[in-house]
Amino acid sequence: MPLVSMNEFLPKAKAGKYAVGQFNMNNLEFAQAITEAAQELNSPFIFGVSEGALKYMGMEFTVAIAEAAAKKSGLPIALHLDHGSSFEVAMKCIRAGFSSVMFDGSHYSFEENIRLTKEVVKAAHAMGVSVEGELGTIGGVEDDISVDESDANLAKPEEAIRFYEETGVDCLAIAVGTAHGMYAGEPNIRFDIIEKVASAIPVPVVLHGGSGVPDEMIKQSIAAGVGKINVNTENQVACTQTIRDVLNKDAKVYDPRKYLTPARKAMVEVVKSKIVLFGSSNQA
Ligand SMILES: [Zn+2]
């Protein structure tokens, strides 16, 4: 199966009240682990690729790995640019084979965010590519972009609804209290904001910073209208912790396969648990 746009599965997710996971791809092992987990549970999913990860892996390898995953698994998989910062980078990704892009204009003024997002939507939709927009700023650190938690502005429901109506995005990330990275305590998620927005627009709300959010809060978010949840940090932690354990136990290890195999296995378990929690098993 070729890579698909998020519209192949997000409308179904919203109607069926479950969420599809975006799992970020940072290297080949991440891609293999995510695909294996989704295959076992017969779930659609989204490969998220940040601009930093794109720089790390290179455009050709990124697209080739995602295409290989789709071909091998037969699952509906979207290759999605995460937090795209400009029209240009979004177009570059689409031309290279991405089936979905996020344009994050949350650092611009509200009106400017609408104007820029609209341009991306127009160009992307003409090529059958789905678009995610962002409103309000999500706290934490994503790649090299750090947003102080106190500066993270929650989305205003009326603005989010107008943003959707004017831009026509296929899903909308709104700042509701989650943050990128791991949490020190429990996040304070504003389910009321999710509900107000999700009930007024036909597309799902996206929850960024899904790593480390307690299961009950994830379930509540989905019930309120979240249809896409982003997970990256938990896989990074599982991968690195496993490698650290292996190397600490045996100083003589030099074959990367000796620590990458268990690291990959650890990520399979993380992704499987998220797919079950999000309710997307058997929805491929
Ligand atoms: Zn994010």
Side-chain angles (χ1 to χ4, degrees):
M1 190 169 202
L3 293 166
V4 297
S5 101
M6 296 195 296
N7 289 325
E8 287 291 317
F9 44 74
L10 285 190
K12 247 172 69 189
K14 173 139 188 171
K17 283 211 173 278
Y18 60 90
V20 176
Q22 171 186 310
F23 302 101
N24 282 47
M25 190 209 287
N26 294 291
N27 61 22
L28 175 64
E29 283 72 19
F30 273 68
Q32 291 171 320
I34 297 159
T35 308
E36 186 182 325
Q39 234 177 329
E40 265 184 56
L41 296 170
N42 191 31
S43 170
F45 72 87
I46 300 147
F47 274 133
V49 180
S50 67
E51 288 183 21
L54 197 54
K55 216 183 274 171
Y56 174 77
M57 291 185 286
M59 183 66 88
E60 293 81 3
F61 280 112
T62 303
V63 174
I65 289 169
E67 283 176 345
K71 190 176 167 198
K72 180 177 183 287
S73 68
L75 295 171
I77 302 174
L79 175 60
H80 180 71
L81 170 66
D82 194 20
H83 291 280
S85 61
S86 68
F87 179 86
E88 288 70 29
V89 71
M91 293 310 121
K92 202 175 144 203
C93 286
I94 293 171
R95 277 196 298 271
F98 276 58
S99 59
S100 190
V101 292
M102 173 182 190
F103 175 70
D104 179 356
S106 62
H107 304 288
Y108 293 96
S109 71
F110 179 61
E111 298 301 334
E112 190 65 358
N113 189 1
I114 288 181
R115 191 183 70 76
L116 293 167
T117 305
K118 242 165 121 169
E119 281 180 16
V120 175
V121 169
K122 197 175 157 202
H125 281 182
M127 291 177 275
V129 168
S130 51
V131 180
E132 173 179 349
E134 176 171 329
L135 202 59
T137 43
I138 296 158
V141 182
E142 174 97 21
D143 277 346
D144 302 327
I145 307 153
S146 166
V147 176
D148 199 315
E149 230 104 325
S150 55
D151 291 337
N153 290 315
L154 296 183
K156 294 182 187 72
E158 322 73 58
E159 284 192 354
I161 294 159
R162 214 192 108 205
F163 183 89
Y164 167 76
E165 284 168 352
E166 296 214 15
T167 61
V169 288
D170 303 292
C171 58
L172 180 57
I174 52 175
V176 292
T178 54
H180 295 122
M182 285 307 257
Y183 298 93
E186 274 199 356
N188 177 23
I189 301 180
R190 291 286 303 273
F191 302 105
D192 58 318
I193 298 179
I194 297 172
E195 184 138 35
K196 255 190 208 150
V197 176
S199 62
I201 64 176
V203 301
V205 164
V206 182
L207 195 68
H208 281 241
S211 291
V213 176
D215 289 1
E216 268 320 302
M217 288 189 173
I218 291 287
K219 284 184 190 158
Q220 235 178 307
S221 305
I222 295 170
V226 162
K228 171 178 181 278
I229 301 175
N230 295 5
V231 175
N232 185 24
T233 308
E234 272 186 64
N235 275 327
Q236 293 182 319
V237 169
C239 176
T240 305
Q241 189 58 53
T242 305
I243 293 172
R244 192 173 282 135
D245 289 348
V246 172
L247 297 181
N248 279 345
K249 253 184 238 159
D250 186 354
K252 290 195 201 71
V253 171
Y254 61 86
D255 180 348
R257 288 170 300 180
K258 293 281 188 282
Y259 53 84
L260 289 174
T261 302
R264 194 166 60 190
K265 217 179 245 169
M267 291 191 279
V268 170
E269 292 313 312
V270 170
V271 176
K272 274 167 68 178
S273 72
K274 296 301 174 190
I275 287 173
V276 170
L277 176 63
F278 299 166
S280 69
S281 308
N282 292 318
Q283 299 291 351

